[in-house]
Amino acid sequence: AVGLARNGASVCLLGRDQPRLRSMARSASHTSPKVRIYRADLSSQQDLSRVILQLQQDIPRLHILIHAAGEIVVGDIISSPVRSFDLQYRINLRAPYVLTRGLLPQLTICQGQIVFINSSMGLQTKANISQYAATKHGLKALADTLRHEVNAEEVRVLSVFAGQTASAMQEKLYRQAMRPYDPKSLIQPEDIASMVIGALALPRTAEVTDIHIRPLKK
């Protein structure tokens, strides 16, 4: 959001945490005076319907849609509750589907671009992460199918498969695994932002479909 604002974009921020939205809006507004915030819990269909209607009214022409929200619960298949699977499905997969579906007409008008911030787990998996990996595999399928459907309208679709990134989510996972957390050894959020913005700025004669990014220090 900050990177796009620095490049002159008007930015709409969507999330459930109002104080964090306001803090991010202040950061982005240093470079772009056009920053809007929309509070919504992406696991709630009622909130999704409301915010889609608001965006349809406020932003008749939408150039970029970036899906970056995510939820993760770690555990083996036998012990992980189904309710945690349902939550991850609603946030990681269903919400991007519903938001894309609702906002696609505004994107098509502008020959816009859609970005799915996925995970390395969207391509491969490991023990104790079945629920999360399943939603991320589904997100890849959604992006790939969408690309086939909208490329004819000159809408571009990008998936970013990120490895371990310095974030609150990653810190929680390290803590749960009782491992020392060193954010400097992981991908920085600014690294991913730089890659995404570069792909978005690519001339319209080409499309980046997939970006794979992982920490340099393994």
mmCIF file of all heavy atoms in Angstrom, residues 1 3 31 39-40 48 57 66 79 82-83 102 106 108 123 129 135 142-143 149 152 165-166 168 186-187 196 203 214:
data_model
loop_
_atom_site.group_PDB
_atom_site.id
_atom_site.type_symbol
_atom_site.label_atom_id
_atom_site.label_comp_id
_atom_site.label_asym_id
_atom_site.label_seq_id
_atom_site.Cartn_x
_atom_site.Cartn_y
_atom_site.Cartn_z
ATOM 1 N N ALA A 1 0.825 -1.206 0.000
ATOM 2 C CA ALA A 1 0.000 0.000 0.000
ATOM 3 C C ALA A 1 0.864 1.263 0.000
ATOM 4 O O ALA A 1 0.616 2.201 -0.758
ATOM 5 C CB ALA A 1 -0.926 -0.009 1.214
ATOM 6 N N GLY A 3 4.014 1.473 -0.954
ATOM 7 C CA GLY A 3 4.746 1.520 -2.209
ATOM 8 C C GLY A 3 3.896 2.035 -3.359
ATOM 9 O O GLY A 3 4.355 2.839 -4.179
ATOM 10 N N THR A 31 2.505 10.263 0.989
ATOM 11 C CA THR A 31 2.871 10.363 -0.423
ATOM 12 C C THR A 31 1.656 10.423 -1.345
ATOM 13 O O THR A 31 1.773 10.828 -2.492
ATOM 14 C CB THR A 31 3.748 9.169 -0.835
ATOM 15 O OG1 THR A 31 3.119 7.948 -0.419
ATOM 16 C CG2 THR A 31 5.120 9.256 -0.175
ATOM 17 N N ARG A 39 -13.435 -0.889 6.795
ATOM 18 C CA ARG A 39 -13.329 -1.936 7.796
ATOM 19 C C ARG A 39 -14.235 -3.097 7.420
ATOM 20 O O ARG A 39 -15.428 -2.913 7.138
ATOM 21 C CB ARG A 39 -13.713 -1.407 9.176
ATOM 22 C CG ARG A 39 -13.457 -2.427 10.280
ATOM 23 C CD ARG A 39 -14.047 -2.037 11.616
ATOM 24 N NE ARG A 39 -13.826 -3.090 12.589
ATOM 25 C CZ ARG A 39 -14.547 -4.209 12.657
ATOM 26 N NH1 ARG A 39 -15.536 -4.402 11.807
ATOM 27 N NH2 ARG A 39 -14.280 -5.130 13.564
ATOM 28 N N ALA A 40 -13.666 -4.311 7.390
ATOM 29 C CA ALA A 40 -14.451 -5.506 7.090
ATOM 30 C C ALA A 40 -13.710 -6.735 7.583
ATOM 31 O O ALA A 40 -12.492 -6.834 7.456
ATOM 32 C CB ALA A 40 -14.708 -5.626 5.588
ATOM 33 N N LEU A 48 -18.371 -8.669 3.649
ATOM 34 C CA LEU A 48 -17.924 -8.680 2.259
ATOM 35 C C LEU A 48 -18.952 -8.017 1.352
ATOM 36 O O LEU A 48 -18.603 -7.195 0.497
ATOM 37 C CB LEU A 48 -17.663 -10.114 1.795
ATOM 38 C CG LEU A 48 -16.398 -10.795 2.326
ATOM 39 C CD1 LEU A 48 -16.394 -12.263 1.917
ATOM 40 C CD2 LEU A 48 -15.137 -10.108 1.811
ATOM 41 N N GLN A 57 -19.691 1.787 -5.320
ATOM 42 C CA GLN A 57 -20.203 3.150 -5.328
ATOM 43 C C GLN A 57 -19.069 4.181 -5.335
ATOM 44 O O GLN A 57 -19.142 5.201 -6.040
ATOM 45 C CB GLN A 57 -21.104 3.377 -4.107
ATOM 46 C CG GLN A 57 -22.384 2.553 -4.125
ATOM 47 C CD GLN A 57 -23.151 2.622 -2.818
ATOM 48 O OE1 GLN A 57 -22.642 3.064 -1.783
ATOM 49 N NE2 GLN A 57 -24.393 2.175 -2.841
ATOM 50 N N ILE A 66 -5.421 -6.201 -4.965
ATOM 51 C CA ILE A 66 -4.395 -7.052 -4.362
ATOM 52 C C ILE A 66 -4.988 -7.790 -3.161
ATOM 53 O O ILE A 66 -5.473 -7.162 -2.219
ATOM 54 C CB ILE A 66 -3.163 -6.229 -3.929
ATOM 55 C CG1 ILE A 66 -2.556 -5.525 -5.143
ATOM 56 C CG2 ILE A 66 -2.127 -7.132 -3.250
ATOM 57 C CD1 ILE A 66 -1.344 -4.675 -4.830
ATOM 58 N N SER A 79 -5.928 -33.996 14.600
ATOM 59 C CA SER A 79 -6.224 -33.165 15.772
ATOM 60 C C SER A 79 -6.700 -31.751 15.429
ATOM 61 O O SER A 79 -7.246 -31.063 16.294
ATOM 62 C CB SER A 79 -4.979 -33.059 16.669
ATOM 63 O OG SER A 79 -3.928 -32.392 15.979
ATOM 64 N N VAL A 82 -12.170 -28.873 12.583
ATOM 65 C CA VAL A 82 -12.734 -28.481 11.295
ATOM 66 C C VAL A 82 -13.032 -26.977 11.273
ATOM 67 O O VAL A 82 -12.922 -26.337 10.233
ATOM 68 C CB VAL A 82 -14.005 -29.304 10.996
ATOM 69 C CG1 VAL A 82 -14.698 -28.798 9.727
ATOM 70 C CG2 VAL A 82 -13.647 -30.774 10.842
ATOM 71 N N ARG A 83 -13.380 -26.416 12.424
ATOM 72 C CA ARG A 83 -13.690 -24.985 12.453
ATOM 73 C C ARG A 83 -12.489 -24.139 12.049
ATOM 74 O O ARG A 83 -12.652 -23.065 11.462
ATOM 75 C CB ARG A 83 -14.217 -24.576 13.830
ATOM 76 C CG ARG A 83 -13.222 -24.662 14.967
ATOM 77 C CD ARG A 83 -13.820 -24.167 16.284
ATOM 78 N NE ARG A 83 -12.878 -24.269 17.386
ATOM 79 C CZ ARG A 83 -12.677 -25.349 18.111
ATOM 80 N NH1 ARG A 83 -13.373 -26.445 17.855
ATOM 81 N NH2 ARG A 83 -11.801 -25.351 19.107
ATOM 82 N N GLY A 102 -17.068 -9.687 -7.213
ATOM 83 C CA GLY A 102 -17.855 -8.473 -7.050
ATOM 84 C C GLY A 102 -17.243 -7.248 -7.709
ATOM 85 O O GLY A 102 -17.958 -6.329 -8.127
ATOM 86 N N GLN A 106 -15.518 -3.497 -12.464
ATOM 87 C CA GLN A 106 -14.754 -2.248 -12.352
ATOM 88 C C GLN A 106 -13.317 -2.415 -12.847
ATOM 89 O O GLN A 106 -12.723 -1.480 -13.366
ATOM 90 C CB GLN A 106 -14.742 -1.774 -10.897
ATOM 91 C CG GLN A 106 -16.099 -1.341 -10.374
ATOM 92 C CD GLN A 106 -16.263 -1.628 -8.902
ATOM 93 O OE1 GLN A 106 -16.738 -2.689 -8.514
ATOM 94 N NE2 GLN A 106 -15.856 -0.705 -8.061
ATOM 95 N N THR A 108 -12.406 -4.700 -15.208
ATOM 96 C CA THR A 108 -12.442 -4.954 -16.646
ATOM 97 C C THR A 108 -12.521 -3.649 -17.427
ATOM 98 O O THR A 108 -11.891 -3.508 -18.483
ATOM 99 C CB THR A 108 -13.628 -5.870 -16.989
ATOM 100 O OG1 THR A 108 -13.513 -7.088 -16.238
ATOM 101 C CG2 THR A 108 -13.657 -6.200 -18.468
ATOM 102 N N LEU A 123 2.265 -24.365 -3.513
ATOM 103 C CA LEU A 123 2.888 -25.206 -4.525
ATOM 104 C C LEU A 123 3.340 -26.551 -3.965
ATOM 105 O O LEU A 123 3.411 -27.535 -4.679
ATOM 106 C CB LEU A 123 4.093 -24.482 -5.136
ATOM 107 C CG LEU A 123 3.785 -23.172 -5.857
ATOM 108 C CD1 LEU A 123 5.078 -22.455 -6.205
ATOM 109 C CD2 LEU A 123 2.960 -23.439 -7.111
ATOM 110 N N ILE A 129 0.313 -28.936 8.166
ATOM 111 C CA ILE A 129 -0.129 -27.675 7.564
ATOM 112 C C ILE A 129 -1.162 -27.938 6.472
ATOM 113 O O ILE A 129 -1.345 -27.140 5.561
ATOM 114 C CB ILE A 129 1.096 -26.902 7.041
ATOM 115 C CG1 ILE A 129 0.819 -25.412 6.954
ATOM 116 C CG2 ILE A 129 1.581 -27.483 5.715
ATOM 117 C CD1 ILE A 129 2.049 -24.570 6.798
ATOM 118 N N THR A 135 -5.944 -24.482 1.271
ATOM 119 C CA THR A 135 -6.529 -23.205 0.845
ATOM 120 C C THR A 135 -5.606 -22.486 -0.130
ATOM 121 O O THR A 135 -6.073 -21.830 -1.068
ATOM 122 C CB THR A 135 -6.828 -22.296 2.048
ATOM 123 O OG1 THR A 135 -5.620 -21.929 2.723
ATOM 124 C CG2 THR A 135 -7.772 -22.980 3.029
ATOM 125 N N LEU A 142 -7.644 -20.820 -8.342
ATOM 126 C CA LEU A 142 -8.511 -19.679 -8.611
ATOM 127 C C LEU A 142 -7.821 -18.677 -9.528
ATOM 128 O O LEU A 142 -8.391 -18.227 -10.526
ATOM 129 C CB LEU A 142 -8.917 -19.012 -7.296
ATOM 130 C CG LEU A 142 -9.660 -17.681 -7.398
ATOM 131 C CD1 LEU A 142 -10.958 -17.840 -8.191
ATOM 132 C CD2 LEU A 142 -9.938 -17.111 -6.018
ATOM 133 N N ALA A 143 -6.576 -18.333 -9.209
ATOM 134 C CA ALA A 143 -5.837 -17.355 -10.011
ATOM 135 C C ALA A 143 -5.611 -17.868 -11.429
ATOM 136 O O ALA A 143 -5.784 -17.130 -12.410
ATOM 137 C CB ALA A 143 -4.510 -17.023 -9.338
ATOM 138 N N GLU A 149 -9.872 -16.751 -18.004
ATOM 139 C CA GLU A 149 -11.168 -16.132 -18.270
ATOM 140 C C GLU A 149 -11.072 -14.644 -18.609
ATOM 141 O O GLU A 149 -11.924 -14.131 -19.341
ATOM 142 C CB GLU A 149 -12.098 -16.335 -17.063
ATOM 143 C CG GLU A 149 -12.451 -17.790 -16.808
ATOM 144 C CD GLU A 149 -13.355 -17.978 -15.591
ATOM 145 O OE1 GLU A 149 -13.721 -16.963 -14.960
ATOM 146 O OE2 GLU A 149 -13.685 -19.133 -15.276
ATOM 147 N N ALA A 152 -8.535 -12.279 -22.162
ATOM 148 C CA ALA A 152 -9.118 -11.770 -23.407
ATOM 149 C C ALA A 152 -9.589 -10.327 -23.256
ATOM 150 O O ALA A 152 -9.661 -9.577 -24.240
ATOM 151 C CB ALA A 152 -10.281 -12.658 -23.851
ATOM 152 N N THR A 165 8.320 -14.852 5.444
ATOM 153 C CA THR A 165 8.403 -13.397 5.393
ATOM 154 C C THR A 165 8.312 -12.825 6.800
ATOM 155 O O THR A 165 7.532 -13.309 7.622
ATOM 156 C CB THR A 165 7.260 -12.834 4.518
ATOM 157 O OG1 THR A 165 7.342 -13.429 3.219
ATOM 158 C CG2 THR A 165 7.354 -11.322 4.395
ATOM 159 N N ALA A 166 9.101 -11.807 7.078
ATOM 160 C CA ALA A 166 9.085 -11.161 8.392
ATOM 161 C C ALA A 166 7.729 -10.502 8.613
ATOM 162 O O ALA A 166 7.424 -9.453 8.049
ATOM 163 C CB ALA A 166 10.208 -10.138 8.482
ATOM 164 N N ALA A 168 3.954 -10.606 11.450
ATOM 165 C CA ALA A 168 3.368 -11.059 12.715
ATOM 166 C C ALA A 168 2.962 -12.530 12.632
ATOM 167 O O ALA A 168 3.109 -13.283 13.599
ATOM 168 C CB ALA A 168 2.168 -10.188 13.066
ATOM 169 N N LEU A 186 14.727 -13.346 7.114
ATOM 170 C CA LEU A 186 13.570 -13.701 6.296
ATOM 171 C C LEU A 186 13.354 -12.659 5.194
ATOM 172 O O LEU A 186 13.965 -11.598 5.182
ATOM 173 C CB LEU A 186 12.325 -13.799 7.175
ATOM 174 C CG LEU A 186 12.412 -14.743 8.384
ATOM 175 C CD1 LEU A 186 11.084 -14.744 9.136
ATOM 176 C CD2 LEU A 186 12.788 -16.149 7.953
ATOM 177 N N ILE A 187 12.456 -12.967 4.270
ATOM 178 C CA ILE A 187 12.039 -11.992 3.274
ATOM 179 C C ILE A 187 11.441 -10.783 4.001
ATOM 180 O O ILE A 187 10.692 -10.940 4.969
ATOM 181 C CB ILE A 187 10.975 -12.593 2.336
ATOM 182 C CG1 ILE A 187 11.494 -13.850 1.647
ATOM 183 C CG2 ILE A 187 10.522 -11.568 1.295
ATOM 184 C CD1 ILE A 187 10.398 -14.644 0.964
ATOM 185 N N VAL A 196 6.128 -6.892 -6.668
ATOM 186 C CA VAL A 196 4.756 -6.737 -7.156
ATOM 187 C C VAL A 196 4.618 -5.451 -7.962
ATOM 188 O O VAL A 196 4.046 -5.445 -9.061
ATOM 189 C CB VAL A 196 3.754 -6.771 -5.985
ATOM 190 C CG1 VAL A 196 2.360 -6.347 -6.449
ATOM 191 C CG2 VAL A 196 3.696 -8.155 -5.362
ATOM 192 N N PRO A 203 5.196 -3.139 -19.161
ATOM 193 C CA PRO A 203 4.410 -2.733 -20.340
ATOM 194 C C PRO A 203 3.317 -3.744 -20.662
ATOM 195 O O PRO A 203 3.447 -4.942 -20.394
ATOM 196 C CB PRO A 203 5.465 -2.666 -21.451
ATOM 197 C CG PRO A 203 6.742 -2.374 -20.736
ATOM 198 C CD PRO A 203 6.646 -3.094 -19.428
ATOM 199 N N ARG A 214 11.869 -16.385 -2.072
ATOM 200 C CA ARG A 214 12.164 -17.077 -0.828
ATOM 201 C C ARG A 214 13.330 -16.363 -0.132
ATOM 202 O O ARG A 214 14.068 -15.597 -0.763
ATOM 203 C CB ARG A 214 12.523 -18.534 -1.089
ATOM 204 C CG ARG A 214 13.803 -18.724 -1.889
ATOM 205 C CD ARG A 214 14.116 -20.185 -2.100
ATOM 206 N NE ARG A 214 15.400 -20.392 -2.736
ATOM 207 C CZ ARG A 214 15.926 -21.584 -2.967
ATOM 208 N NH1 ARG A 214 15.280 -22.672 -2.603
ATOM 209 N NH2 ARG A 214 17.121 -21.699 -3.539
#
